[in-house]
């Protein structure tokens, strides 16, 4: 077992690092910014990625990409995260929509949709989740009915990141109400002109998610991806790309959360306290386990394996370490973090509150444990 | 990145697992009689003795991970073999830049060593001021070994025990003793020796955690209550999912730490501390969950879960208690962040 980069990986990592260092020179620390400023820099960053040819890293060259494997994309994301780069405003387009369209789209769809992503002209969002469906994605009720030349869609979506900036949507809708719930679903590449988008204010004051309402929205036949009724299979492709592209970001975010709490404790003069050291030791174990587990997952993928249910253990560990580090940080603040006018206190509380989402988004903690129980431990289904 | 097991490592794991599965002498036997060597003891000491031994120490240059894969497989079935203790002793002796080549009789298993690192009253490995610098505690199989590999503040050495005082081990399949040593003759720098030895224990702990999880999952799949198998209750299933997560984290940390030590990475030390701490926690947690899942039978001597807990507790205490390693990881993490170690020179290989 060898955890070192191969020569090719190392060369790529250096190339990426050199470019990132230059491209990030004027970009401020995102952690210190207000939300609208962060969104501004996400847009700037997206433009720079497209201009620099870093969009579509793992897309085939025939589609204008760089033809690298998913590990290369993960390395790029890792190096960017280590440097505190903004999150690109069209991450969904570059890392989810593009690869899914390449995997399942017709020539016509590929020609129509892919260049706009690479040029930074079209932004995408992921219309999977629905109010009421929660973790049970396949229970979605948004319905598409046949009309002349296409489909008429009615329903609502929720938790849609970046919908307020997007013009295209990876949309799941039920096209056969009588089929078993995983079968009657169709995947659309829907234009969002007729969607109503409403931002949701989160418990930390940010508005990163949206609700979307579809009232008699027309989607043409040419925007069905992967065939009518085949939407669940296509959606699994998107979810697999999501896991792969995030793999090496997770550990970086975990380590940064631990770094911040250590820096704070040092500044407060409490870093040599025994209980604090014990906690940091435990946080270090979990954060490193996320990093090493991600490397093993990517190594297995490159060797031809498929990421297994163990990825649920990684997601779970990551969520815990980030939540625990952010909780500890507010606890070190004046009055346990409840006075937001202290230096940096509001930002720490914002991060702590944001981290509560980590055991909910991307599959709740309970779903991850059920996956482990059923697919790793071979226990019977409990639902 | 090729963070996958080699075919050889998979083969080692399979071979040792098969040996362990066929072994007739079990950990349970030591509850009612004196420890006796399992049949596979000699085979392991002989055939697998070169695993993980660097060429400079007389080995064939195999990787530390090769050894850990073998030890993990023994831990899963609680095989009461002297091999892990002997292997830890060998690793303790061969971690320096210029280790003395180990005698052939040690590498061939003809002379069985054990590993003496923990200082009585201390919580780490020969780290503090000992009331008597020539006494070590938690020495396994001391009466059944031909020699002792010792860690002291100045390095490592091999000795014969001048005195062996048997202690009452919570896991009788791992007899523990206090060992008194004569003043050392030739001492060589420990280098990464203590780290390498600690990883042998961490690997066995990961195996123990896996064995406890397997036993608990089997119970959860078959035991019925309220008309359903108990594994269908989330209150049961989630405990085991947490144990599986902790075990995976510990095994990943252990494998990475071994690679970091073998390749001389600068972060090797903190990775070893993290691995040993995480492995101890994972094994104790898994064994405790295993007892819980077994319900009433789980708290009797007749069922096996307590055997896993006993082994987990003993291994967690050896070569630096888990809590001590966790504290060290925290100290090093904070130290790295402020640019200097807050307590320099505390680790054996610092």
């Amino acid at each position: 077992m060898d955890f070192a980069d191969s020569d090719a990986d190392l060369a790529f990592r250096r190339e990426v690092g050199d470019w990132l260092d230059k491209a990030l020179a004027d970009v401020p620390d995102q952690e210190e910014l207000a939300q609208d400023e962060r969104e501004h820099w996400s847009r700037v960053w997206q433009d720079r990625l497209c201009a620099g040819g870093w969009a579509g890293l793992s897309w085939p060259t025939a589609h204008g990409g760089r033809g690298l494997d998913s590990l290369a994309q993960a390395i790029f994301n890792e190096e960017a995260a280590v440097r505190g780069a903004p999150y690109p405003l069209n991450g969904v387009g570059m890392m989810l929509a593009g690869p899914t369209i390449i995997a399942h789209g017709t020539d016509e769809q590929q020609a129509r949709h892919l260049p706009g992503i690479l040029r930074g002209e079209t932004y995408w969002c992921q219309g999977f989740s629905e109010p009421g469906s929660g973790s049970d994605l396949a229970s979605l009720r948004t319905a598409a009915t046949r009309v002349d030349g296409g489909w008429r869609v009615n329903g609502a979506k929720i938790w849609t990141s970046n919908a307020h900036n997007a013009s295209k949507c990876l949309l799941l809708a039920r096209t056969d109400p009588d089929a078993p719930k995983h079968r009657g679903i169709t995947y659309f590449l829907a234009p969002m002109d007729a969607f109503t988008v409403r931002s949701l204010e989160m418990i930390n004051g940010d508005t990163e998610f949206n609700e979307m309402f579809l009232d008699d929205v027309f989607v043409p036949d040419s925007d069905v991806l992967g065939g009518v009724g085949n939407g669940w299979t296509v959606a699994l492709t998107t979810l697999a790309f999501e896991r792969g592209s995030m793999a090496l970001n997770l550990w970086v975010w975990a380590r940064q959360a631990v770094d911040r709490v250590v820096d704070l404790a040092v500044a407060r003069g409490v870093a040599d306290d025994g209980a604090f050291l014990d906690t940091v030791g435990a946080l270090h174990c979990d954060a490193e386990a996320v990093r090493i587990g991600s490397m093993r997952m990517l190594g297995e993928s490159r060797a031809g394996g498929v990421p297994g249910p163990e990825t649920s253990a990684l997601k779970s560990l990551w969520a815990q370490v980030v939540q625990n580090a952010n909780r500890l940080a507010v606890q070190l603040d004046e009055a346990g973090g409840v006075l937001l006018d202290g230096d940096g206190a509001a930002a720490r509380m914002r991060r702590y509150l944001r981290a509560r989402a980590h055991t909910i988004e991307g599959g709740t903690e309970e779903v991850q444990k059920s996956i482990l129980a059923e697919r790793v431990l071979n226990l019977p289904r409990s639902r | 990145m090729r963070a996958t097991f080699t075919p050889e490592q998979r083969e080692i794991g399979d071979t040792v697992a098969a040996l362990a599965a066929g072994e007739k002498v079990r950990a349970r036997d030591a509850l009612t009689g004196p420890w006796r060597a399992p049949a596979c003891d000699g085979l392991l000491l002989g055939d697998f003795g070169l695993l993980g031994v660097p060429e400079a120490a007389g080995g064939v240059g195999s990787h530390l991970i090769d050894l850990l894969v073998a030890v993990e497989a023994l831990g899963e079935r609680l095989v009461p073999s002297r091999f892990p203790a002997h292997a830890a002793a060998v690793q303790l002796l061969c971690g320096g830049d210029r280790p003395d080549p180990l005698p052939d009789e040690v590498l061939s298993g003809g002379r069985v060593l054990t590993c003496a690192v923990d200082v009585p009253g201390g919580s780490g490995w020969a780290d503090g001021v000992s009331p008597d610098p020539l006494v070590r505690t938690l020495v396994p199989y001391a009466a059944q070994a031909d020699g002792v590999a010792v860690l002291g503040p100045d390095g490592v050495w091999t000795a014969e025990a001048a005195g062996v005082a048997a202690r009452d081990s919570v896991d009788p399949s791992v007899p523990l003793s206090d060992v008194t040593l004569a003043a050392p003759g030739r001492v060589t720098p420990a280098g990464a020796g203590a780290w390498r030895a600690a990883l042998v224990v961490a690997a066995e702990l990961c195996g123990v955690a896996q064995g406890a999880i397997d036993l608990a999952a089997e119970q959860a799949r078959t035991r019925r209550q309220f008309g359903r198998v108990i594994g269908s209750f989330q209150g049961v299933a989630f405990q085991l999912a947490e144990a599986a997560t902790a075990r995976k984290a510990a095994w990943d940390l252990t494998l990475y730490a071994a690679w970091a030590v073998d390749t001389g990475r600068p972060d090797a030390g903190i990775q070893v501390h993290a691995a040993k701490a995480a492995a101890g926690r994972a094994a104790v947690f898994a064994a405790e969950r295993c007892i819980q899942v077994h319900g009433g039978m789980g708290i009797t001597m007749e069922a096996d879960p307590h055997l896993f807990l006993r082994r987990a507790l003993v291994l967690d205490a050896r070569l630096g208690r888990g809590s001590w390693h966790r504290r060290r990881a925290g100290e090093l993490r904070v130290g790295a962040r402020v640019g200097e170690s807050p307590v320099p020179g505390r680790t054996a290989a610092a």
Side-chain angles (χ1 to χ4, degrees), chain B residues 224-228 230 233:
Chain B
R224 298 181 71 86
Q225 290 276 270
F226 308 105
R228 296 160 63 183
I230 60 173
F233 298 120

Side-chain angles (χ1 to χ4, degrees), chain B residues 197-330:
Chain B
L199 288 174
V200 175
V201 181
E204 191 174 357
L205 279 163
C206 290
V208 172
Q210 187 62 55
I213 291 166
D214 290 344
L215 181 62
E218 176 62 23
Q219 172 78 358
R221 284 190 294 266
T222 49
R223 168 76 171 157
R224 298 181 71 86
Q225 290 276 270
F226 308 105
R228 296 160 63 183
V229 291
I230 60 173
S232 67
F233 298 120
Q234 287 188 335
V236 173
F238 283 11
Q239 290 183 20
L240 297 186
E242 286 167 27
T245 298
R247 189 269 174 197
K248 174 182 163 50
W251 187 223
D252 286 354
L253 284 163
T254 301
L255 294 168
Y256 185 87
W259 173 78
V261 168
D262 254 351
T263 54
R265 285 191 41 104
D267 64 341
I270 188 171
Q271 300 295 359
V272 171
H273 293 302
K276 177 66 168 62
R281 180 185 165 274
V284 172
F285 182 76
E288 289 180 347
R289 293 302 95 198
C290 184
I291 291 174
Q292 179 69 22
V293 168
H294 277 74
M297 283 309 291
I299 54 169
T300 69
M301 282 289 196
E302 292 173 39
D304 282 351
H306 70 105
L307 299 174
F308 285 92
L309 182 59
R310 290 171 192 280
R311 182 68 62 85
L313 291 171
V314 163
L315 293 171
D316 184 43
R318 283 191 49 221
L319 272 97
R321 202 183 297 160
S323 56
W324 178 81
H325 283 283
R326 187 169 298 109
R327 174 74 59 92
R328 284 297 297 145

